[in-house]
Amino acid sequence: MNWLLLIIGGFFETGFAISLGKAQHTSGKQMGLWLASFGVCVAISMFLLFKAMGGEKAIPVGTAYAVWGAIGAIGTVVAGVVLFHEPVTFWRMFFLSSLILSVIGLQVVST
């Protein structure tokens, strides 16, 4: 259950990054709505990270934070490509892949 909470929290981290990106390209009421979306997403994301690190099957803080951050980073890069038409370059994908492999490696070597 804690892993599910952590994964969902990572998706909300992507949501707050996207909200900030969209807020930068808007003004007035629309900007306010994107900033409100940011606030909601960051609150939910942090709460789910907190819950994933507690309870009977708590995920260690270092592992939880690394996975949560990686999910957010990966989701944000993908959203940036899809929503903001950011470039897909070899080096961006190379380092994104290395991030994924690093998080998997961290999980494999953690006790």
Side-chain angles (χ1 to χ4, degrees):
M1 182 66 170
N2 287 14
W3 281 102
L4 180 61
L5 294 175
L6 187 64
I7 292 166
I8 294 168
F11 289 140
F12 276 98
E13 184 188 1
T14 298
F16 75 70
I18 292 168
S19 296
L20 284 179
K22 291 297 242 178
Q24 289 179 338
H25 299 287
T26 59
S27 61
K29 183 178 180 181
Q30 192 174 19
M31 178 191 245
L33 292 172
W34 282 113
L35 291 175
S37 171
F38 164 78
V40 169
C41 286
V42 77
I44 293 170
S45 181
M46 292 293 172
F47 177 74
L48 292 174
L49 175 62
F50 168 77
K51 293 298 282 183
M53 293 187 303
E56 287 182 28
K57 296 185 179 187
I59 301 170
V61 65
T63 302
Y65 187 77
V67 170
W68 175 82
I71 291 169
I74 294 162
T76 302
V77 169
V78 170
V81 168
V82 173
L83 299 175
F84 302 113
H85 309 290
E86 293 176 357
V88 178
T89 65
F90 170 79
W91 288 112
R92 286 185 85 194
M93 294 304 111
F94 172 80
F95 287 115
L96 188 62
S97 299
S98 70
L99 174 64
I100 294 167
L101 291 174
S102 295
V103 170
I104 292 169
L106 179 64
Q107 181 58 30
V108 169
V109 301
S110 295
T111 56

